[in-house]
């Protein structure tokens, strides 16, 4: 390919050089006018803010302790025979069913997972994604006296193990086949799951929008168990999986606010040269959400949370390891159980 500037000493080359010299003052003038105009324009941020991914998963901090062990019976994802036929199941049950039964199911607060069955071996498998240190730790920080900044125990990860607890998923939830794939497609999906799990390391509880209205601006997307299931379905469709035409609903927890304001990261807010007033405001906001409260402390904390979020319409969000201010709007918070259709197969790739 010809390189710019290699025109040579002919007529064309001389004419081009002359035109460049003649245009230079105008180009400089236009560039300066553009800079002046751009300086007067407000910065237009792209919404929703992309979820930040990482090059590797860090080891959990010893301070972060889970009341219930994460993935206690986890096992490596097996390599399937390429011509095996794998049935794919949608799994859904009330959150914390092992402790509260179907109570949260009545509120449509559901946990999602995916099941697989190898028709050649008859073995079943469950795959899910959830918090390492339970939901509260992923949603709010610890305020440790020895640390100036809030301390976050926030990681989420994929868990894979052999077997499907039929009773758990069927009794108060869903266990239904949604697709059939080949062993080859399963193996490709498994490789993707490992990559997704290593780069997407933290849990995000909230979806934050401008209002409940259809088409309203989304400021931040959640990153939770249902999003993992949806990402996996999408990947399987890209690999050629055909999904059945059945209704699939998912729990979403919304916060509603005006356009968020970026505040900074831990260093810029809580560091030696940080904003002490803002740092104190953030810690005061998070204080009522601290764990292990007595009944009296819990009731007092509820009043403080109501005052901050509903009366003063303030919320501090920690997202991508950065802090944002949310000017809250009615109805403030809402839990929905929305239908999100199963994806359509990518017809350019045959996974079967």
């Amino acid at each position: 390919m010809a390189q710019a500037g290699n025109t040579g000493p002919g007529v064309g080359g001389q004419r081009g050089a002359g035109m460049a010299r003649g245009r230079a003052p105008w180009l400089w003038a236009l560039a300066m006018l553009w800079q002046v105009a751009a300086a007067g324009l407000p910065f237009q941020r792209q919404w929703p803010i992309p979820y930040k991914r990482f090059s590797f998963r860090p080891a959990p901090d010893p301070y972060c302790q889970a009341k219930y062990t994460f993935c206690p019976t986890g096992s490596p994802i097996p390599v399937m025979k390429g011509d095996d036929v794998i049935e794919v199941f949608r799994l859904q049950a009330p959150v914390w069913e092992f402790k509260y039964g179907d109570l949260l199911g009545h509120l449509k607060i559901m946990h999602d997972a995916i099941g697989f069955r190898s028709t050649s071996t008859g073995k079943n498998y469950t795959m899910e994604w959830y918090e390492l240190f339970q939901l509260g730790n992923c949603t709010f920080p610890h305020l440790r006296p020895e640390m100036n900044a809030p301390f976050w125990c926030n990681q989420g990860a994929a868990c894979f193990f052999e077997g499907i607890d039929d009773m758990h998923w069927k009794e108060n939830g869903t266990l239904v086949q949604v697709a059939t794939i080949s062993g080859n497609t399963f193996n490709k999906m498994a490789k993707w799951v490992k990559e997704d799990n290593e780069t997407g390391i933290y849990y995000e509880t909230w979806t934050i929008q401008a209002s409940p209205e259809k088409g309203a601006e989304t400021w931040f997307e959640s990153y939770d168990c249902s999003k993992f299931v949806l990402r996996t379905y999408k990947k399987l469709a890209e690999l050629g999986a055909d999904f059945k035409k059945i209704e699939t609903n998912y729990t979403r927890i919304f916060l509603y606010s005006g356009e968020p304001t970026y505040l900074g990261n831990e260093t810029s807010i809580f560091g030696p040269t940080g904003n002490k007033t803002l740092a104190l405001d953030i810690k005061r906001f998070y204080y009522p959400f601290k764990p292990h409260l007595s009944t009296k402390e819990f009731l007092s904390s509820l009043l403080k949370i109501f005052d901050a979020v509903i009366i003063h319409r303030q919320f501090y969000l920690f997202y991508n390891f950065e802090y944002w201010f949310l000017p809250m709007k009615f109805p403030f918070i809402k839990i929905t159980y929305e239908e999100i259709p199963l994806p359509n197969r990518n017809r350019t790739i045959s996974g079967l």
Side-chain angles (χ1 to χ4, degrees):
M1 186 174 68
Q3 298 296 312
N6 288 347
T7 316
V11 175
Q14 290 180 350
R15 182 171 180 269
M19 287 181 68
R21 285 196 296 271
R23 282 202 302 258
W26 290 102
L27 289 172
W28 278 108
L30 286 170
M32 290 181 68
L33 283 171
W34 169 250
Q35 288 180 342
V36 171
L41 293 173
F43 173 68
Q44 296 297 311
R45 192 178 294 278
Q46 295 297 310
W47 304 105
I49 298 296
Y51 175 91
K52 183 178 179 180
R53 289 186 171 268
F54 296 82
S55 58
F56 67 96
R57 176 178 292 277
D61 192 292
Y63 179 87
C64 301
Q65 298 293 323
K67 187 173 183 180
Y68 302 100
T69 304
F70 173 78
C71 201
T73 60
S75 60
I77 303 178
V79 177
M80 301 292 189
K81 293 180 180 179
D83 59 354
D84 196 354
V85 177
I86 312 295
E87 297 171 339
V88 183
F89 297 91
R90 177 175 186 245
L91 308 178
Q92 189 175 73
V95 170
W96 282 39
E97 186 182 32
F98 67 92
K99 186 173 183 179
Y100 299 115
D102 66 344
L103 176 63
L104 295 177
H106 293 297
L107 301 174
K108 296 299 182 184
I109 303 177
M110 309 294 281
H111 173 66
D112 296 276
I114 306 175
F116 302 97
R117 178 180 177 272
S118 164
T119 58
S120 66
T121 67
K123 289 185 176 181
N124 298 323
Y125 303 92
T126 300
M127 184 171 72
E128 52 191 334
W129 194 96
Y130 62 99
E131 328 83 82
L132 267 66
F133 313 111
Q134 276 76 67
L135 182 61
N137 280 319
C138 290
T139 310
F140 299 106
H142 292 256
L143 300 179
R144 299 171 63 177
E146 73 276 18
M147 292 185 171
N148 191 38
F151 181 81
W152 291 85
C153 291
N154 186 355
Q155 280 199 46
C159 173
F160 188 97
F161 56 94
E162 185 173 338
I164 296 176
D165 185 349
D166 288 31
M167 184 174 292
H168 168 68
W169 301 106
K170 283 182 176 179
E171 191 172 27
N172 299 305
T174 301
L175 195 165
V176 60
Q177 186 177 346
V178 293
T180 302
I181 61 175
S182 69
N184 184 48
T185 297
F186 178 92
N187 294 335
K188 291 178 181 178
M189 178 212 69
K191 181 180 178 182
W192 170 84
V193 166
K194 292 174 184 177
E195 294 169 354
D196 181 80
N197 192 51
E198 284 298 305
T199 60
I201 65 171
Y202 73 93
Y203 189 99
E204 179 53 50
T205 304
W206 317 104
T207 296
I208 298 166
Q209 288 189 342
S211 78
E213 296 177 7
K214 188 176 182 180
E217 187 81 72
T218 298
W219 310 120
F220 301 92
E221 290 279 10
S222 61
Y223 197 87
D224 54 16
C225 63
S226 65
K227 286 301 179 72
F228 173 74
V229 168
L230 290 167
R231 288 197 307 279
T232 305
Y233 286 163
K234 181 181 177 182
K235 187 63 181 180
L236 288 173
E238 290 174 2
L239 293 171
D242 262 325
F243 285 88
K244 295 184 177 182
K245 303 300 181 184
I246 60 174
E247 182 176 329
T248 53
N249 294 70
Y250 304 88
T251 300
R252 303 181 74 187
I253 305 178
F254 288 89
L255 294 180
Y256 300 107
S257 83
E259 184 167 337
T261 301
Y262 175 74
L263 301 176
N265 58 27
E266 181 178 309
T267 302
S268 66
I269 298 173
F270 300 95
T273 59
N275 186 328
K276 293 183 179 179
T277 301
L278 176 59
L280 184 60
D281 286 344
I282 292 174
K283 288 195 286 187
R284 281 175 176 166
F285 172 79
Y286 285 134
Y287 183 80
F289 296 97
K290 67 179 182 178
H292 313 305
L293 297 175
S294 66
T295 303
K296 183 178 179 181
E297 288 174 324
F298 175 74
L299 293 174
S300 175
S301 293
L302 277 181
L303 292 175
K304 291 176 182 177
I305 293 167
F306 183 87
D307 180 70
V309 178
I310 308 301
I311 304 301
H312 290 92
R313 304 196 172 200
Q314 299 175 341
F315 195 98
Y316 288 100
L317 177 73
F318 189 63
Y319 194 90
N320 285 346
F321 293 88
E322 297 174 316
Y323 289 90
W324 298 76
F325 175 77
L326 307 181
M328 298 298 289
K329 294 166 56 178
F330 182 84
F332 307 107
I333 185 171
K334 188 176 182 180
I335 299 174
T336 66
Y337 189 61
E338 299 181 359
E339 180 182 7
I340 302 177
L342 290 164
N344 293 319
R345 177 182 180 180
N346 184 340
R347 296 293 175 181
T348 63
I349 301 176
S350 177
L352 298 176

